[in-house]
């Protein structure tokens, strides 16, 4: 089967490798079709596309859009998007503006528990000054000895209810799907197994997503257990959604799974990449 990795990050968002290095690494790992899906920013796509072509690897321009659905943050991946589409570019620029204000509040919340110069420190880890994420704060807190690794920092500081977490309103689900489709892309629910919502609510999310024009769901992800993969595969079949596969790779030492290294899609699903090859 084709080794498609349709979810990963470069230093344009919260990954650590340059876009060209992500593409070169994916090709070296045996990936046949890669989508770079940085959070809320399209700035790495041109560079990654050139590197993918040089390595003779297929490439899809992508993005991972931050969305607030009901009271939860969910991520919607766009595949095969048009980076020149104005509605998409403007929508993402607005989200990045919100990120700046949120980063200020996160910095203040961490200062309040004694972490000095938190925002300035996080900015040093951000490869893109207009995109500061919780991951950049997490890398700073590892440097400061607050936890041994990024995952530990999230558990103790950055997840809902923890001292560095601040509430934030992202884009609406319908907006994100419309921006993706307006640029000719396919919208995908990213890592559904990660959301802290019940089964009934997950089904409501899928129903809302489909009504708004969403067409695909990530079945195989480094965030999913084998049981979750089976369960989400069932949901994909039940709702007639295309199935996606992605490592959500961020960094060589940090990410649980290498580029291209998630399991293959279970039987009986229509791979989302059939739309593009
Ligand atoms: P943000 O968009 O700024 O809220 O940051 C979200 C990013 O934080 C995700 O894309 C992941 O890269 C990372 N993240 C979220 N939860 C965790 C976790 N429990 N452990 C490690 N990284 C996480
Ligand atoms: Mn991330
Ligand atoms: Mn995500
Ligand atoms: Mn991601």
């Amino acid at each position: 089967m084709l080794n498609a990795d349709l979810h990963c990050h470069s230093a344009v968002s919260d990954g650590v490798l340059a876009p060209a290095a992500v593409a070169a690494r994916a090709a070296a790992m045996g990936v046949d079709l890669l989508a770079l899906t940085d959070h809320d920013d399209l700035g790495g796509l041109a560079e990654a596309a050139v590197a993918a072509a040089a390595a003779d690897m297929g490439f899809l321009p992508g993005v991972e859009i931050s969305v607030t659905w009901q009271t939860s943050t969910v991520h919607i991946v766009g595949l095969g998007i048009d980076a020149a589409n104005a509605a998409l570019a403007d929508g993402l620029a607005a989200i990045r503006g919100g990120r700046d204000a949120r980063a200020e509040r996160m910095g203040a919340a961490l200062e309040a528990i004694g972490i000095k110069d938190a925002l300035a420190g996080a900015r040093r880890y951000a490869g893109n000054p207009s995109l500061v994420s919780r991951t950049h704060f997490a890398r700073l807190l590892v440097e400061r000895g607050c936890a041994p690794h990024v995952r530990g920092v999230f558990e103790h500081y950055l997840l809902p209810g923890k001292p560095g977490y601040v509430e934030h309103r992202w884009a609406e689900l319908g907006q994100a799907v419309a921006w993706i489709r307006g640029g000719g892309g396919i919208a995908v629910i990213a890592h559904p197994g990660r959301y802290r919502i019940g089964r009934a609510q997950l089904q409501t999310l899928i129903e809302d997503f489909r009504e708004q024009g969403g067409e695909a769901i990530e079945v195989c992800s480094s965030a999913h257990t084998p049981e979750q993969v089976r369960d989400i595969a069932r949901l994909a079949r039940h709702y007639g959604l295309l199935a996606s596969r992605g490592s959500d790779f961020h960094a060589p030492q940090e990410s649980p799974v290498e580029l291209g290294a998630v399991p293959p899609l279970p039987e009986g699903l229509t791979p989302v990449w059939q739309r593009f090859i």
Side-chain angles (χ1 to χ4, degrees), residues 14 39 75 99 102 133-135 150-151 154 194 250:
D14 59 349
H39 298 284
H75 287 170
R99 272 189 181 276
R102 171 189 185 243
S133 94
R134 278 186 292 165
T135 309
V150 161
R151 195 166 28 83
F154 270 87
R194 176 188 283 186
H250 284 71

Side-chain angles (χ1 to χ4, degrees), residues 6 35 98 161 226 236 253:
L6 305 184
Q253 264 82 47

Side-chain angles (χ1 to χ4, degrees), residues 203-223:
Q203 289 185 251
T204 306
L205 168 63
I206 292 172
E207 285 160 17
D208 281 0
F209 173 73
R210 282 180 79 224
E211 264 167 43
Q212 315 271 8
E215 296 174 87
I217 193 164
E218 225 168 60
V219 174
C220 292
S221 163
S222 60

